[in-house]
Amino acid sequence: MIAILSGSSRKNSNTLRAAKGVRRSLLELGVPENDIHLVDFEDYDVPFYNGDNLDRNNLNPFQQKVLDAMSHASLIFVLSPEYNWFPSAEIINLINRFGDKQFLDCWDGKVFCTCGISSGRGGRIPAVQLSYVINKLINVMNLQSVVSAKIFESQFTPKALDADGNSLGNEEYDRGLLQFVRYNLDISRRLNLKD
C-alpha cells in the first residue's frame, strides 16, 4: 500500500492538487487504485502537545485515517505547502504527535519521500526540512526505514495542475513529477517492500 499525506488543511489547496497529481502518476505507473490512500488534511484535528493525548485505541476519524494509511503503507509521500519557508504546522505537529512508541508501525519498514508545494517559485525548503526531521525520527527510534534522497518541488502548482491533479500541459513539471514518483516507487520495490 502507498500513502499520500496532503499536509495542508486549506480546502482545495495546492497541496491537495499535488497529492492528486502524485496519485495520478502512481496510477499511470500501474499501481492499483485500491493500493493508494490519499489523506486530505482538510479535517485535520491532531491536538498539539498542550492538548489531549493521543490514544491509539481511541482515535477520532481523521486520526484513525492517518494511522491506517501510514501503518499499512510501505511507501509514504509526505507533502507540505511552503509557508514562509517552513512546512505547514499541521504536518510538523503530525510528525511530533505520531512520532511516539505507540505508533512505531507508522514509521518502521517504510520509504518516505517528501514534496514541497508552492503557488510560485518555492517548495525546496519544506521538502528538505521534512526529510531531515523524518530521518531524525527514524534514527532516534532505531527503525529500519529510508528517507529518499529524491524530493520534488511543486512550483507554480496552480499553473501546472488542475483541482483534480490533472496536468495543465507543463511538460517540464509533468516530467519532473513522474520522475519523482517513479524513482520512489522503484526504491520501495528494490527494498522488497510491498506496495
Side-chain angles (χ1 to χ4, degrees):
M1 189 172 112
I2 298 169
I4 306 168
L5 304 180
S6 178
S8 171
S9 60
R10 287 184 178 174
K11 188 173 183 170
N12 301 318
S13 68
N14 289 325
T15 304
L16 185 58
R17 286 179 189 233
K20 289 177 178 179
V22 168
R23 181 179 61 197
R24 177 181 46 83
S25 297
L26 287 165
L27 292 170
E28 288 175 13
L29 293 169
V31 176
E33 189 166 0
N34 290 340
D35 289 346
I36 304 168
H37 293 269
L38 192 157
V39 180
D40 181 355
F41 277 37
E42 185 179 330
D43 296 322
Y44 183 91
D45 62 358
V46 177
F48 289 101
Y49 270 114
N50 63 348
D52 294 334
N53 289 327
L54 289 181
D55 174 2
R56 183 187 177 103
N57 298 312
N58 190 27
L59 298 173
N60 66 31
F62 174 79
Q63 296 161 9
Q64 189 65 51
K65 191 180 216 182
V66 170
L67 174 63
D68 292 344
M70 290 185 72
S71 64
H72 293 105
S74 57
L75 175 59
I76 300 177
F77 290 87
V78 183
L79 285 70
S80 174
E82 182 172 317
Y83 293 144
N84 296 320
W85 306 283
F86 285 101
S88 70
E90 293 88 350
I91 201 74
I92 293 299
N93 188 55
L94 178 89
I95 292 168
N96 285 331
R97 295 309 309 265
F98 274 73
D100 184 86
K101 289 180 183 178
Q102 68 175 320
F103 299 113
L104 283 180
D105 56 336
C106 291
W107 307 99
D108 198 21
K110 321 243 179 243
V111 171
F112 292 90
C113 41
T114 61
C115 175
I117 299 17
S118 179
S119 59
R121 198 170 302 282
R124 176 177 297 148
I125 292 178
V128 170
Q129 288 175 335
L130 287 170
S131 295
Y132 172 79
V133 169
I134 295 168
N135 221 9
K136 185 68 174 177
L137 185 146
I138 291 165
N139 171 54
V140 168
M141 297 179 96
N142 199 31
L143 303 176
Q144 297 202 1
S145 288
V146 172
V147 179
S148 174
K150 187 73 164 174
I151 65 172
F152 186 66
E153 302 165 34
S154 181
Q155 299 185 4
F156 301 102
T157 305
K159 293 181 180 177
L161 299 172
D162 70 14
D164 293 319
N166 297 312
S167 171
L168 293 175
N170 183 327
E171 292 180 14
E172 186 177 352
Y173 181 98
D174 294 343
R175 193 168 38 254
L177 178 62
L178 188 61
Q179 186 180 54
F180 167 69
V181 172
R182 178 183 286 126
Y183 178 95
N184 288 299
L185 188 59
D186 288 347
I187 290 290
S188 177
R189 288 175 173 164
R190 284 185 182 198
L191 293 175
N192 294 317
L193 301 173
K194 295 179 184 178
D195 309 333

